[in-house]
Amino acid sequence: MAQAQQLLVRYYLWSTDGPWRLPSRLHHDLIDRKVAFPEYAGTKQKVLEVFARRIGVETYSLRGRGTIFTFDEDGYLKRIPAEEVMGLIVERARQKLRDDNVLSIEPTLRERRLKKEHRWQPTRSMLHLVRSDFTPGARRVRLLKRPP
């Protein structure tokens, strides 16, 4: 019987001095607005979401997706983009349920705007920098600590 491939997902805040890994618990607490980063208050920060699939004993295939986290004036993550995305999904579902011959292009335009504002394309060199985080014995990416 074939062994299931292991998939790891890790998040990296990409600052001007390079990547900082967001531990899973800290990432969840940030999303749930249980923790704030005052040093990022009122800013937008690039976050690299890395999907790592084990392809060998100590080898991973990496894919990345870039998102932009927007922090409010207190350093908490803003939820507005996620709510807008859910609104688009609901709106598209409604259009599919109706039997109209004419569909509005507005949801498509809003989706493109959201992607442009909240997504970015990571480079190969960025993935190369975080590869060490998946290599046993290699120098790890710096860990972002929970603020006091």
Side-chain angles (χ1 to χ4, degrees):
M1 187 155 83
Q3 184 179 1
Q5 286 188 334
Q6 181 182 10
L7 179 69
L8 297 174
V9 180
R10 292 192 180 156
Y11 299 90
Y12 300 87
L13 186 115
W14 210 274
S15 68
T16 55
D17 62 346
W20 290 84
R21 185 156 67 90
L22 277 163
S24 295
R25 169 63 25 219
L26 183 56
H27 179 258
H28 289 289
D29 287 348
L30 191 61
I31 298 293
D32 290 340
R33 295 178 53 90
K34 292 179 181 176
V35 65
F37 281 97
E39 65 269 29
Y40 298 122
T43 68
K44 291 183 178 188
Q45 299 294 320
K46 287 183 174 182
V47 174
L48 175 62
E49 184 177 27
V50 176
F51 303 93
R53 184 172 306 281
R54 184 184 296 269
I55 57 173
V57 176
E58 293 182 0
T59 308
Y60 287 88
S61 169
L62 302 183
R63 282 187 345 158
R65 178 171 62 187
T67 60
I68 296 176
F69 280 12
T70 303
F71 292 87
D72 67 15
E73 62 279 351
D74 296 318
Y76 287 96
L77 187 65
K78 285 187 176 181
R79 289 187 179 169
I80 295 168
E83 292 167 356
E84 284 187 61
V85 169
M86 284 307 296
L88 284 172
I89 292 169
V90 169
E91 194 168 337
R92 285 201 168 175
R94 282 186 186 150
Q95 282 187 344
K96 287 180 181 178
L97 289 175
R98 287 186 295 207
D99 193 22
D100 293 341
N101 289 333
V102 179
L103 296 178
S104 171
I105 194 169
E106 182 62 30
T108 302
L109 295 176
R110 283 199 350 243
E111 180 180 4
R112 285 181 187 166
R113 179 186 53 82
L114 278 173
K115 283 181 179 178
K116 185 177 179 182
E117 291 176 7
H118 301 286
R119 296 265 186 237
W120 57 278
Q121 187 63 43
T123 64
R124 284 183 166 214
S125 63
M126 291 172 142
L127 289 173
H128 183 71
L129 278 173
V130 299
R131 182 170 295 285
S132 65
D133 215 30
F134 298 90
T135 307
R139 189 173 148 252
R140 301 285 182 176
V141 173
R142 299 166 297 178
L143 206 59
L144 192 62
K145 303 262 189 224
R146 181 180 291 274

